[in-house]
Amino acid sequence: MYHKTLSYRVFTVFNTIGLLLLSIACIIPLVHVLAVSFSAKSAADANLVNLWPVQFTLEAYKKTIDNPIFLHSLWVSVKRTVLGTSLTLLLAFMAAYPLAKENSEFKGRTIYSWIFVFAMVFNGGLVPFYMVIQKLHLMGSFWALVLPGAVNIYLTILMMNFFRGIPKELQEAAMIDGAGHFRTLFRIFLPVSMPAIATLGLFSIVFHWNSWFDGLLYTNSSNQYPLATFLQTVIIQRDLTSMSLDPASMALISQKTVNAAQIFIGAMPVLLVYPFLQKFFVKGLVLGSVKE
Amino acid sequence: MTHLKKYWPLHLMVLPSLLFLIAFSYLPMAGIVMAFQDFKPRLGIGGSKWVGLDNFRFLFEREDSMQVIWNTVVIAVLKLFFNLVAPFTFAIFLNEVRKDLFKRYVQTMVYLPHFLSWVILGGILLNVLSTDGGFINRILESIGIGPIFFLGDGNWFRVTVIVSDVWKEFGYGAIVFLAALANINPALYEAAEVDGASRLKQTLHITIPSIMPITIVVGTLALGNVLNAGFDQIFNLYNGLVYDKGDILDTFVYRIGILGGNMGFATAIGLFKSVISMVLIFVSYRIAYKWANYRIF
C-alpha cells in the first residue's frame, strides 16, 4: 500500500501545504479589499491595512450608499439581470427542443444548427455591431443591455444536450396521449429540466451582472450605467464626476476605502450565488463538454 | 406543405432565437462591407467610397498595427499554454488528496476568481499592485525587492496579464481534468499495486496517460483563441505607458474605430481577426473530432 510508505506521507504533507497556500492565494486579494473597505481613511491612505480592518468603520459604505448615481446603477443592474436572464432562459429552453431532435426526425434541424454554430464561431466585429445598435435605435436605451445578448448560444447548446438525455419514452408517451410539441415541452420537459434551468440561470445571472462593456458603449450618460460599468469608469478610468463628491466630503473619506467598498458591493451578488452555482456548474460543464 | 403541417411547432420554437440571431449576429456580419470602404458615418454604407483592400494593406504596413498583432499572439499563446499546463498539474496534485472535506474546500476557493469580472479583479489588481504602497509591493519591499512597476512597464505588464489570467482561470479549467481523473478505472491502480508500483510510477503510467485524450481535446479547442488575448482583462489593466507591449487587436479596434472614428480600418482589423479565428476553430474541431471523437453539436 503506497499510502503507508514514508515518502508518500512526506509528499502528502507538502501537497496539503501547497494546495492550502494556493487556495489562500485565490482569495487573499479579495480579503485585502474587504479589509480596506472597513478601515479608516487615515489607515488606508497610509497603507497600514493588510488583511484585517484598521480602526473599523462603515463610513465608506455609508458614502457609497448615499451616492444616488451608485444606487441607480445598482437598480439598472438588477433590472437587466432579471430581464436578461428570463429572456435568455426562455429562448434557450424553446430553441433547444427542436435542436435536440435528430436530423432525420426534424428536417429543418440541420440548417438551424448551422445558423447557431456559425453565429458562435464568426462575428462581424465590434464596429459593425455598434452600427447595428445605432441603426436599430437602441443607442441610449436600456434595452441595448438586454436584447443583443438575449440568445446565448453556449447555454442553448447546454440545454440541448440536457434534452437529449431525457428518455425518449417520456416524450413518446406524451405524444401517444395526444400532446403536441408545445404541450410536451412545457408540461413534460419543463418539470424534469428544472435543475438544468437553474444551472443555466445562475450562469446567465453572473454573465449579466458582470457585463460592463455594453453599458460603456451603448449608453450615453453615467446615469444609465449598470453597476459594472459604473465601477469600470470610477475605479478603472478614475472618472470621479459620477461620484457626486464635494470637496468637503472628499476630505472626510478616502477614495481608497470607498473604491474598496464599491468593489466589494459589486462582487457581492456573485459571491452570494456562488455556493449554489458551484453545486451545479460541475454537472453543467461536464454536460456540455464531454459526450459519449 | 405536409412538412409544415407536421413540424410548424418546432419551427415556431426556434423562431424567436432566430430573429435575435438575425438582428444581432447576422446583420452585423453584413456590416463587414465597411472593411472595404473609407467609411464615413455621415455618408453611410451606400455613400462611402469603396477602397478595395486598402484597409487591409494599412493593417500590414502600419508599424503600430503589426506591433498590435504581435502583442496579441504573444499574450494569447502564452495564456493558452499556461492555462493548459496549470490546470492539468493542479488537477493531478488535487487528485492525490484523500480527505474529501479538504478537497472541496480547495475547490471552492480556486473556482471563485473565475466568476468575478475583470472590472472587479482589475480594480483589486490596480489596488494591490500599485507602486504607491500597494499590498504586493509592500511585501516585496519587506524582503528587499522592488518596487516593481507591474502595470507601468511593458514587459512586467505582459507578465502580470498572463499570471493574473492563469490565477483567475486555473481552478475552473481543472474541472474537466478532475472529471476525467474521477473516471479512471480503479482496477488499473489495484493491479499496479499488486505489481508493487510506487504512487509516482502509477501517476506516470496510469493517471497521466488516462487524461491525455481530454488534454489533447482541451488544448486543440483552445487554438481558436490564438488572436483572443482577452479584451476585458487588458482593457481594465492597461494604460498609455504599456501600449507598445500590451495593446491587443480588440483594444486597438475599440480605440481606432469607436473612439477614433476610423471605422473602415477598424472593421477590417475585426474581420481579419474573425476570419482567422473561425478557420482555426474549424480546424481544431476537425482535429478533436478525428483524434478523440469529440463532438459538440
Side-chain angles (χ1 to χ4, degrees), chain B residues 255-270:
Chain B
R255 287 206 320 279
I256 294 273
I258 306 290
L259 300 182
N262 195 345
M263 292 184 142
F265 184 45
T267 308
I269 304 173

Side-chain angles (χ1 to χ4, degrees), chain A residues 12 21 30-31 37-38 43 106 110 142 155 165 177 256 258:
Chain A
T12 304
L21 290 177
L30 203 61
V31 175
S37 74
F38 284 118
F106 173 43
T110 320
F142 166 76
L155 294 186
D177 288 346
K256 258 190 190 161
V258 174

Side-chain angles (χ1 to χ4, degrees), chain A residues 216-252:
Chain A
L216 198 62
L217 275 180
Y218 310 135
T219 52
N220 301 325
S221 68
S222 58
N223 53 32
Q224 291 177 316
Y225 285 163
L227 183 61
T229 312
F230 171 85
L231 293 177
Q232 209 276 336
T233 55
V234 170
I235 294 167
I236 311 279
Q237 299 181 27
R238 317 245 159 106
D239 171 9
L240 300 183
T241 47
S242 50
M243 278 301 295
S244 76
L245 290 177
D246 50 285
S249 63
M250 200 67 182
L252 283 173

Side-chain angles (χ1 to χ4, degrees), chain A residues 2-3 8 15 23 25-26 47 49-50 97 105 112-113 115 123 128-129 157 210 212 232 274 277 281 289, chain B residues 7 11 13 24 26 28 93 96 98 105 108 111-112 115 133 138 167 175 193 232 235-236 274 294 297:
Chain A
Y2 68 83
H3 297 281
Y8 192 73
N15 193 26
S23 68
C26 283
N47 299 316
V49 186
N50 289 323
Y97 180 87
E105 269 178 282
Y112 286 134
S113 57
I115 292 174
N123 64 75
F129 197 78
I157 293 178
N210 283 343
W212 56 275
Q232 209 276 336
Y274 178 64
L277 191 62
F281 71 68
S289 58
Chain B
Y7 292 108
H11 290 287
M13 284 172 187
F24 298 111
Y26 286 92
F93 278 97
E96 293 302 317
R98 292 282 165 274
Y105 154 79
T108 305
Y111 295 160
L112 180 64
F115 293 97
R138 259 187 290 149
W167 168 77
I175 291 175
E193 199 89 331
D232 281 19
F235 192 78
N236 284 311
S274 290
Y294 174 91
F297 215 81

Side-chain angles (χ1 to χ4, degrees), chain A residues 1-3 8 11 15-16 19-20 22-30 32-33 36 47-51 87 91-92 94-95 97-99 101 104-109 112-133 136 138 147-148 150-151 153 157 160-161 164 181-182 185 203 206 210 212-213 216-217 228 231-232 235-238 256 260 263 266-267 270-271 274 277-278 281-282 285-286 288-291, chain B residues 3 6-18 20-21 23-32 34 39 41 44 90 92-94 96-98 102 104-124 126-128 132-135 138 167 170 172 175-176 179 193 197-199 202 214 231-233 235-237 250 253-254 257-258 262-264 266-267 270-271 274-275 277-278 281-282 285 293-297:
Chain A
M1 283 298 279
Y2 68 83
H3 297 281
Y8 192 73
F11 165 77
N15 193 26
T16 309
L19 290 172
L20 199 63
L22 203 59
S23 68
I24 292 171
C26 283
I27 57 151
I28 212 167
L30 203 61
H32 172 68
V33 169
V36 171
N47 299 316
L48 296 173
V49 186
N50 289 323
L51 299 174
L87 190 59
L91 290 172
M94 299 221 311
Y97 180 87
L99 290 175
K101 298 264 175 253
S104 53
E105 269 178 282
F106 173 43
K107 285 277 179 311
R109 196 242 173 213
Y112 286 134
S113 57
W114 274 106
I115 292 174
F116 275 76
V117 168
F118 190 71
M120 188 163 67
V121 299
F122 187 78
N123 64 75
L126 179 66
V127 175
F129 197 78
Y130 183 83
M131 299 294 294
V132 166
I133 301 292
L136 294 175
L138 285 172
L147 301 180
V151 173
I153 301 176
I157 293 178
M160 177 194 87
N161 281 338
R164 292 198 157 167
H181 287 295
F182 272 99
L185 177 62
F203 271 103
V206 172
N210 283 343
W212 56 275
F213 191 50
L216 198 62
L217 275 180
L231 293 177
Q232 209 276 336
I235 294 167
I236 311 279
Q237 299 181 27
R238 317 245 159 106
K256 258 190 190 161
I263 288 176
V270 176
L271 297 177
Y274 178 64
L277 191 62
Q278 204 209 347
F281 71 68
V282 177
L285 198 81
V286 174
S289 58
V290 191
K291 278 203 325 174
Chain B
H3 173 85
K6 192 168 162 204
Y7 292 108
W8 69 265
L10 296 178
H11 290 287
L12 197 61
M13 284 172 187
V14 208
L15 187 66
S17 290
L18 204 61
F20 275 102
L21 284 180
F24 298 111
S25 291
Y26 286 92
L27 214 55
M29 285 183 207
I32 55 187
M34 285 191 283
F39 183 78
F90 167 70
I92 286 180
F93 278 97
L94 189 66
E96 293 302 317
V97 173
R98 292 282 165 274
F102 180 64
R104 272 212 303 275
Y105 154 79
V106 173
Q107 285 174 307
T108 305
M109 294 293 143
V110 300
Y111 295 160
L112 180 64
H114 169 82
F115 293 97
L116 296 172
S117 78
W118 274 115
V119 171
I120 301 288
L121 293 178
I124 293 177
L126 288 183
N127 179 338
V128 299
D132 172 31
F135 188 57
R138 259 187 290 149
W167 168 77
F170 81 91
Y172 194 73
I175 291 175
V176 59
E193 199 89 331
S198 70
R199 188 59 180 171
Q202 294 178 23
I214 189 71
F231 174 80
D232 281 19
Q233 182 195 17
F235 192 78
N236 284 311
L237 291 176
D250 294 318
V253 166
Y254 175 71
I258 306 290
N262 195 345
M263 292 184 142
T267 308
L271 182 59
S274 290
V275 169
S277 298
M278 183 180 64
I281 290 170
F282 273 119
Y285 271 77
N293 214 9
Y294 174 91
R295 216 182 112 217
I296 182 167
F297 215 81

